[in-house]
Amino acid sequence: MRAHHTRKRPATVRVARWSATNPWRAIGIWVALVVACLVVGGIAGTEKADTSDLGVGQSGRAGEIAREHGLVAPATENILITAKDDGTLDQEAARNAAARVADQARPLPDVAAVGEVMASEDGTAYLVPVDLAGDPDKAKDHIGDLEDARKAVQKEFPGLRIEQVGDGSGAKGIEDQIGKDLGQAELFSLPVTLVILMVAFGALIAAAVPVILALTAVVASMGLYGLASAVFPDPGSAANIIMMMGMAVGVDYSLFYVRREREERAKGHNRIDAIEIAAATSGHAVVVSAFAVAVSMAGMYVAGDAIFSGLATAGIIVVVVACAGSLTVLPALLAKLGDRVDRPRVPLLWRLTARQDREPRVWKALLRPALNHPRGTLAVSVIALAALALPTFGMKLQTTSFDDFPSEMSVIKTYDRMTAAFPDKHAASNIVVLAPEGKAAETRAALDQAVEQTRNHPLYVKDDTSPVKVAEDGRAFSVQVTSPYGSSSGKAVDALDALRDEILPNTVGQVPGAEFAVEGETAENFDYAHHVKEKLPLVIGFVLLLTFVMMAFTFRSIVIALSAIVINLLSALAAFGLLVVVFQHTWAEGILGFTSNGAVISWLPLFLFVVLFGLSMDYHVFVVSRIREAAERGLSTRDAVERGITSSAGVITSAAIVMVSVFAVFATLSMMDMKQMGVGLAAAVLIDAIVVRIVVLPSLMVLLGNRNWWPGKIPGGGRPPAPGAPPRPTGSPYEVPARSVG
């Protein structure tokens, strides 16, 4: 007969048992859910964040006034005409081509106006400015006819180079590049991950199962985010986040589970028992880890802007879906496959991975300094991490601008040629002014005075003839002024400072009740960087508090919770320092294929912090769970630390290698934000898996001894049972007694 269990089984075990005993039903439900998510998400579509969602600070206020008073500038396109191969421009042919482009563009339904043809001062280029009709935020949807007209004129004048660049073509080019990068990431990350898992498991099917589950989690999450984007619109990187996070945590969660199930089968447990023990141990750790990552990512909502809310939502969805898959359909797959999960075997690798009882000599050797000399080891490692973290305090933030996109993109090449020939075509600053009641004339006069001062200022274009636009109610005004420098350059920022802090306060600011605000690429970059710096302490505090509560509840220990926070905070800061060293300087440009702008992407520090903290807690929970299991069996703290870390070292290392490989693929992409994110995450996981788990954590836990578990207690206080005494009941939530079969 079956042994009677007085304690209710954990939910992870009950779900796993149902899935394992009803495998086809569980697999069918999962496949149906994935397909349903994909179909429903496809029907709903993904809502993109627009300008009104993304605005912060003074530039956000400028956009708000402009929208309220009908002063939103139309999207613009520029048709650039130059000589092919940078030769001498045929002036007559260029003028005729420009006139032809203008004539072709005017009758198009998506064209609101065609400006006067402009010739560059050096005679090397002609430019035809075009204002687009429709919503400026959807400009890429309104350039098709204009592109066709341009291509037709190009055929008429084969000796010229006729190109197009602007709001719509730029957005389309960037979107295409992101899609290309995402395809490259998928192409490389899948085979690399599969190879790593084959090394870890020594068998093809065992390696393929985590990859397949991760892919289904990514697909389902893409669909679910389509629904969620109605509330939390996509800031432009949601698909990348889902792909990257989904492959990383999806594979990791399944890896933990499959590895533990194989261990238990190797110990002689039958298939269902092995799955239940894996569910109670690794399954429990997966739930806590996923909760930790989700809690950390929820910290981004504290920032209160569309970018972080969209990224948080995308990340949380894919982590929850990956966790759900590992707890539900994975036990069904393992039950259905049975011993076939270890087929076909890779001969040499299978012999290495199948020997569960071999002495982990390498890991014991690596742990020896921390176990034998914990005080000195901890001091050296903390000093090293602190030194690596020091550059963090010199971090400069900057949002990606048009000048920072990959130079090999055709639209960027056109942009560079245009700004070289027409310096006033760099991104302009838009001054928006709101007059108080009854003082419209006085406010307009003050604005005219401000514009005149910009045209006499060394940091602004002198011959800018942009007109002042007046709202229908006569109270609001807008006008563009241009600095002839790249929008992310130091001189462009100096020009913005002069406008905001000197010119406008001394003119418009002197009219009582008048309000002014400046928007534009430079202003938006500056405001967003300031916004991130302002919100980062709040997000850090939120994440640390919730993580503390979660860890204290999970392990019933304040000491474990505090040490986890300190260790992982130091690890995250060290990764930040490395990010600064790599990207704020030029030494790594040739290695990683980028051009440094001397800054880190504005949204990355906050995003990286919450993701790094969540992923660090992922490993932390898994390792400390193993250490606690060993301590509950009566081992001393030192022996429990050794047993817990060596028994989990293989799966932690495999999981870390998978994550580093996935993140490293993103470091090879062309877009600067993806490159920085990939480097930051890969570096953090390496630091966490090697330095923290092998050096810092064991030395700290050995020093603390039984105080690790305060105010709770480990049964027996970490002392081994007396010789001949029966095994101690552990009371551990991670142990499931095997059932006796009668």
Side-chain angles (χ1 to χ4, degrees), residues 242-386:
I242 289 173
M243 174 67 187
M244 183 178 67
M245 294 292 295
M247 289 304 300
V249 301
V251 168
D252 268 19
Y253 293 162
S254 298
L255 174 61
F256 293 161
Y257 206 110
V258 174
R259 189 69 172 258
R260 187 60 182 256
E261 188 267 349
R262 292 178 83 210
E263 285 181 15
E264 298 306 326
R265 277 196 293 117
K267 291 175 183 176
H269 291 104
N270 64 43
R271 189 173 60 209
I272 301 299
D273 282 346
I275 290 172
E276 288 196 6
I277 295 171
T281 53
S282 293
H284 178 88
V286 163
V287 171
V288 176
S289 299
F291 187 68
V293 177
V295 164
S296 293
M297 298 200 76
M300 286 191 279
Y301 291 121
V302 177
D305 71 64
I307 290 179
F308 291 123
S309 295
L311 296 180
T313 304
I316 290 171
I317 286 173
V318 76
V319 167
V320 171
V321 172
C323 176
S326 68
L327 298 178
T328 56
V329 71
L330 182 56
L333 287 171
L334 293 176
K336 198 64 190 172
L337 288 169
D339 293 336
R340 292 191 298 272
V341 75
D342 295 327
R343 309 283 180 182
R345 297 172 179 174
V346 181
L348 176 61
L349 296 177
W350 171 254
R351 286 197 295 272
L352 292 174
T353 59
R355 291 169 55 202
Q356 300 287 344
D357 58 343
R358 69 184 186 277
E359 186 75 7
R361 288 176 293 180
V362 173
W363 296 112
K364 284 193 172 186
L366 292 173
L367 280 172
R368 198 169 293 131
L371 299 178
N372 296 339
H373 309 285
R375 201 179 305 276
T377 303
L378 181 63
V380 171
S381 58
V382 168
I383 290 171
L385 288 175

Side-chain angles (χ1 to χ4, degrees), residues 59-71:
S59 56
R61 176 57 182 157
E64 185 180 331
I65 296 172
R67 285 189 297 273
E68 287 177 358
H69 293 270
L71 293 176

Side-chain angles (χ1 to χ4, degrees), residues 423-432 447-457 459-468 478-485 492 495-496 498-500 503-504 517-523:
D424 61 332
K425 285 298 176 180
H426 278 284
S429 292
N430 191 42
I431 303 171
V432 181
L447 177 59
D448 289 340
Q449 185 181 355
V451 172
E452 185 63 28
Q453 288 185 24
T454 63
R455 288 170 184 167
N456 293 319
H457 197 285
L459 292 174
Y460 284 92
V461 174
K462 298 183 184 303
D463 55 356
D464 193 341
T465 58
S466 300
V468 175
S478 71
V479 62
Q480 291 188 341
V481 292
T482 305
S483 176
Y485 305 102
L496 176 67
L499 189 60
R500 284 180 167 179
I503 297 173
L504 288 171
V518 180
E519 62 179 350
E521 201 166 86
T522 302

Side-chain angles (χ1 to χ4, degrees), residues 27-39:
I27 293 169
I29 291 173
W30 179 256
V31 172
L33 286 173
V34 171
V35 173
C37 289
L38 187 62
V39 171

